[in-house]
Amino acid sequence: MGWIRVLLSRCTGLIGRRKKNEELDEELRSHIEMAMEEQQRHGLSREEARARALREFGGITQWKEVYREQRGLPFLETMIQDARYTVRRLRQAPGFTITAVATLALGIGATTAIFTLVQQVMLKSLPVAQPGELWRFGNEIHCCEWGGYTQDPEFSIFSWQIYRYFREHTPAFAELAAFQAGTPDFGVRRAGSTHPAEAHVGQFVSGNFFETFGVAPWIGRLLGDSDDRTGATPVAVMSYRVWKQKYGSDPSVVGASFQIDGQAVTVVGVAAPGFYGAMQSSWANPDFWMPLSDEPLLMGSSSMLHQTNENWLDIIGRVRAGTDPETLKAQLKVELRQWQLGHLAQMTPQERQFLPKEQFYLTPGGSGIAQLQSDYKDDLRLLMIVAGCVLLIACANLANLLLARGLRDQPQIAVRAALGASRSRLIRKSLMESLILGLLGGAAGIGIAYAGASLILHLAFAGPDSWVPISAAPSWTVLIFALALSLMTGVLFGIAPAWMASHAQPIDAMRGANRSTQGDHSWTRKVLVVVQTAVSLVLLSTAGLLDLSLRNLESQNFGFQAEGRYIGYIDPSMAGYKPADLERFYQQLLLRLRSIPGVRAVSAALDAPMGGNNWTGSVRIEGQPTQHAGEELYPFWNRITPGFFASIGNRIVIGRPFTDEDTASSRRIAIVNEAFAQAFFKGKNPLGQHFGRGDDPAHAGDYEIVGVSANARLGTWDPTGPIRPAYYLPESQFVSFGGPQADVDENRSHNLLNVILWAPGNPPGLEAQVRRALDRIDPNLPLNGFSSYQEVFDQQFDQQHLIAELVSLFGFLALLLAAVGLYGVTTYSVAQCTNEVGIRMALGANRRSVVAMVLRSAFLQVGTGLLIGIPAAIFAGRFMAAELFGTTSYNPVVLGTVAAVMLAAAFVAAAIPARRAASVDPMRSLRAE
Amino acid sequence: MPEGKSDVLQGTLDLMVLKTIESMGPLHGYGIARRIEQVSANTLTLNQGTIYPALLRLQQRGWIKAEWRTSETGRRAKYYSLTRIGGKQMQAETENWERIAATMARILAPSR
């Protein structure tokens, strides 16, 4: 460990250098004097003695130098010297410094802002103990329910029965927790409170949920296995956020009774701050957690807990130390297969056929159910690339600036080389400048990144209910990223000037004039401009394509009229309505809503078009065989009240809509859309045909088709795909599938969650009137949300808007930087060839030809950039083809516009120095020679 | 360079300095230099200045320590003395040197 001691003492050698130097001087002085005394004793004169002593010592100054170098850390010392010198120089040129730091800050700030989001969204673990021990069953995220005994292509959402089977058979897990994949809204009211019920996100979880994640209670207690048992008192745990925001951190909440969907539930505790559940999502962070055993109580006839083929749970487990995930996965797969084989008798033929092909995955669960990741993965990647390109352009600009500066300093550097400065020292000095600029830019960039990331978060998750566990504050990872980026860019744009410094010829110092340097490096600078132009073109064309695609998306034919239409979100089950009471309830509600002034038509629907939810399921057409495995169609299905098609402006193409005459006792009927008719009847008249829900041939005759509606976009999750087959059933009619268990879906589908209003001309106070109407019918039933279709669309395309806007912003930033770069290069070369211009003008060249000469050079660079950039932009478009709607990766209009914009910018950037060149006075430039 | 004088072998100076301090007790730089010259009977060419980087090196390793004292002639000088680690190292280095010297002697012994 000797070297540590040496290093330490060398470090202390850096402190108090002046005092130590004085001490060394004194020591050496005393040495010489002692030597002189001895020589004088031998009879030499004082002068002779001194000369001899000095000779024997051998060069005091050299030894002092050797001593000093050994005492401290010479590398560090010269570095500090260089740094001081650089800072001094930068302060002398504030214009240059500010430009350089601002350029860099923009580049580093943009990249770091996006990285902040990447780190928060993509790389963050749940705030729980030892997230590395957590493993999740399945890979894909399936929300929220999935019927059947098999899942294509992988089994990733589970029933309670499978969960219990896994829990009993897998000792490798210290804890294995299950929790609801969906997070439904519940109507919540503190018992005795006079306030109406409020909608809160809730989630059913297994009793060991909190123990699995290692989360502690803030106050009270969390759930345990004894709460998750049939017959246990209904309890719930509240999130810290809601406790603080809605209940003012009132400690009496613990132990208090709450009405949740009309049932008495005791809140037993508040979870630790920062714990937002097992999902990372922008819309599903639970406010309440309740044990799975409370699900039948709260969901009533729609309960899924005891349904063997209703999959609605995610599973995450904490493994014991030393468990091999591969072995564990294999074991779990066997367990799953055994369970499935035990239910072979209940499976449909398709399921039995598919079983051998089914996949099962075990994935790291430290990030929980990472909904945000899968929502934003592609966009973040695109933004990261774009921000990186902006940084690249910023670097090119700086390299140009430094090169210009380096050229100007070349005589001075030559003098230094002539005076004996070593090459390595010259390179170090030059790199030091770029590194310091890089660090300054990085420091400013962190500020920009924070502001930028906050702004993006604000824009992305602006809704009142939207709360995301993401913070824009830079974490350590982000700071280290920014530092690394600063150093990297510092080196990147510092290499060229450093290379130039290292080639300084001492002889240049003697020659005096710097004429010989012109031309040597101008090609480097021009290449940089070409690269900048090409990259900016790619960015701008990408932005153009995204913008075009978004406009196509929004102006597509949705198949219904959005103008003047509104959606109100309700959930009668929150107020305890049973399926049989619902038809009467909707009749009353719609009657009241229709009487609101300005309202022309109203209806209720299970899922309003593009309202965010859709039910899907297989169908059996009467007289047609069962669909082939792997090729089944799962149409959307919807339950509606009469007046739906009129209120939403969806045309009935043939047949008729539902009317009040279609009652529970009349013939059971359905309306299908054009896509359904095409898919199942291939051009034959669908009217009068029969089909049934599910695959059972016994139900194939359930519904008679009485009408066909025009294709309309119902789903939100694939706004670019083809319109899916869909069918509509009337609210008034029920089909029994035999027994309460089998009728869960049938019953739940009567709980219509949306009311649709057609009220053209922006009638004022519409929402308040709807709220009042609802309150008159049932004060326990809250209006969960109300929005116009314009708002629905805005929200639907929010993310695309944001991405397109950010890419445009980055594109224009790139254009600006490239233009500044071109301006700088042109200005510099104009300044360099002032003499030449002077001579040309003296020989009779007119101003126009001088301007043309400068412009020609600038346009040559930009033109080359465009020639490289256009194929690159087409290539980049190919990468995004999957995300573009209604346009191909190559769009001549976009490319042409972008190229024209770039040429215009280039003209402005080059015209200013060109004019300056033309105003050169020939006499003055000649005299300067 | 006069016949019979040798350059100081790299690394051996430290050992000489250590040994000198050990045998003479606390001593200043000039004293150490003179002592080495005397003992070597002037067969070594020694720039006296070399002593100082060597002293610094030994100090940095923690083998010797220094303090200002007044010499017998009444002059202020920096006196170097062995530390405890230095004493131990001194032994180790001596053994090491002897091993090398013996090896060299065997290698250089005139072949019969």
Side-chain angles (χ1 to χ4, degrees), chain A residues 393-672:
Chain A
I393 292 176
C395 277
N397 255 10
L398 271 190
N400 256 338
L401 267 176
L402 283 178
L403 268 173
R405 215 167 129 79
L407 284 173
R408 215 189 47 212
D409 292 347
Q410 209 152 19
Q412 193 200 359
I413 293 171
V415 169
R416 275 193 209 166
L419 287 178
S422 68
R423 291 220 182 290
S424 69
R425 185 75 192 259
L426 287 176
I427 292 180
R428 249 191 286 165
K429 251 198 173 61
S430 166
L431 272 181
M432 180 58 78
E433 188 169 70
S434 51
L435 281 182
I436 286 186
L437 284 175
L439 288 175
L440 287 176
I446 287 173
I448 292 186
Y450 175 64
S454 311
L455 184 69
I456 294 175
L457 283 180
H458 178 74
L459 293 176
F461 307 109
D465 303 329
S466 166
W467 174 84
V468 278
I470 293 181
S471 126
S475 62
W476 277 113
T477 331
V478 169
L479 288 179
I480 290 170
F481 173 83
L483 178 70
L485 207 61
S486 314
L487 293 177
M488 206 184 70
T489 52
V491 171
L492 198 67
F493 65 72
I495 283 176
W499 183 81
M500 209 167 71
S502 75
H503 282 69
Q505 294 299 328
I507 192 71
D508 286 346
M510 321 280 168
R511 281 205 203 110
N514 59 356
R515 218 182 294 167
S516 60
T517 57
Q518 161 71 345
D520 288 0
H521 297 284
S522 62
W523 68 268
T524 323
R525 298 164 48 75
K526 286 179 179 160
V527 165
L528 286 172
V529 169
V530 168
V531 170
Q532 283 181 315
T533 311
V535 174
S536 324
L537 178 84
V538 172
L539 290 191
L540 281 177
S541 111
T542 304
L545 282 179
L546 285 177
D547 197 55
L548 182 65
S549 150
L550 180 60
R551 256 182 289 154
N552 289 342
L553 260 180
E554 286 182 316
S555 59
Q556 67 176 297
N557 179 13
F558 288 100
F560 61 89
Q561 307 290 321
E563 186 71 36
R565 264 78 178 184
Y566 298 82
I567 307 183
Y569 297 87
I570 54 168
D571 185 353
S573 73
M574 281 186 187
Y577 282 90
K578 301 279 167 282
D581 315 330
L582 283 167
E583 200 198 345
R584 250 184 65 78
F585 162 77
Y586 286 113
Q587 277 171 356
Q588 285 180 352
L589 176 65
L590 294 180
L591 205 64
R592 276 199 190 276
L593 292 179
R594 204 172 289 138
S595 64
I596 294 174
V599 172
R600 242 190 246 178
V602 292
S603 66
L606 178 59
D607 301 314
M610 304 198 66
N613 260 317
N614 294 102
W615 287 49
T616 61
S618 61
V619 291
R620 183 70 182 254
I621 311 289
E622 193 179 49
Q624 288 186 15
T626 178
Q627 298 178 53
H628 287 295
E631 294 167 19
E632 307 103 312
L633 291 167
Y634 294 98
F636 284 139
W637 68 285
N638 204 346
R639 202 173 279 281
I640 56 175
T641 61
F644 169 82
F645 293 99
S647 65
I648 197 68
N650 187 0
R651 214 157 37 90
I652 294 292
V653 184
I654 43 173
R656 64 168 179 92
F658 298 141
T659 66
D660 289 332
E661 272 88 68
D662 299 311
T663 61
S665 54
S666 70
R667 179 176 56 138
R668 284 182 303 217
I669 54 171
I671 291 169
V672 300

Side-chain angles (χ1 to χ4, degrees), chain A residues 27 31 33 37-38 56, chain B residues 30 48-49 52 61 75 80:
Chain A
E27 187 175 10
H31 179 114
E33 280 168 9
E37 276 166 23
E38 195 177 327
E56 283 186 350
Chain B
Y30 177 68
Q48 289 177 358
Y52 289 93
R61 286 185 197 147
R75 186 172 299 287
Y80 295 89

Side-chain angles (χ1 to χ4, degrees), chain A residues 795-816:
Chain A
Q795 213 172 0
Q796 166 69 17
F797 299 114
D798 231 12
Q799 191 174 341
Q800 281 105 321
H801 264 293
L802 181 67
I803 302 304
E805 277 160 17
L806 283 176
V807 173
S808 301
L809 177 71
F810 285 151
F812 280 104
L813 203 59
L815 176 69
L816 186 71

Side-chain angles (χ1 to χ4, degrees), chain A residues 221-288:
Chain A
R221 67 173 179 91
L222 299 179
L223 301 179
D225 274 328
S226 57
D227 297 309
D228 188 11
R229 193 166 288 165
T230 319
T233 328
V235 293
V237 165
M238 197 185 275
S239 81
Y240 179 84
R241 196 170 60 90
V242 162
W243 180 60
K244 203 171 156 202
Q245 288 175 2
K246 294 272 174 191
Y247 297 95
S249 305
D250 175 8
S252 74
V253 161
V254 173
S257 178
F258 280 73
Q259 294 283 321
I260 299 186
D261 277 10
Q263 301 292 335
V265 174
T266 309
V267 169
V268 291
V270 173
F275 181 69
Y276 45 80
M279 305 174 99
Q280 300 200 31
S281 142
S282 57
W283 40 262
N285 299 292
D287 302 331
F288 286 90

Side-chain angles (χ1 to χ4, degrees), chain B residues 22-36:
Chain B
E22 192 204 26
S23 54
M24 300 289 289
L27 199 58
H28 44 71
Y30 177 68
I32 298 169
R34 285 297 295 142
R35 172 73 186 168
I36 291 175

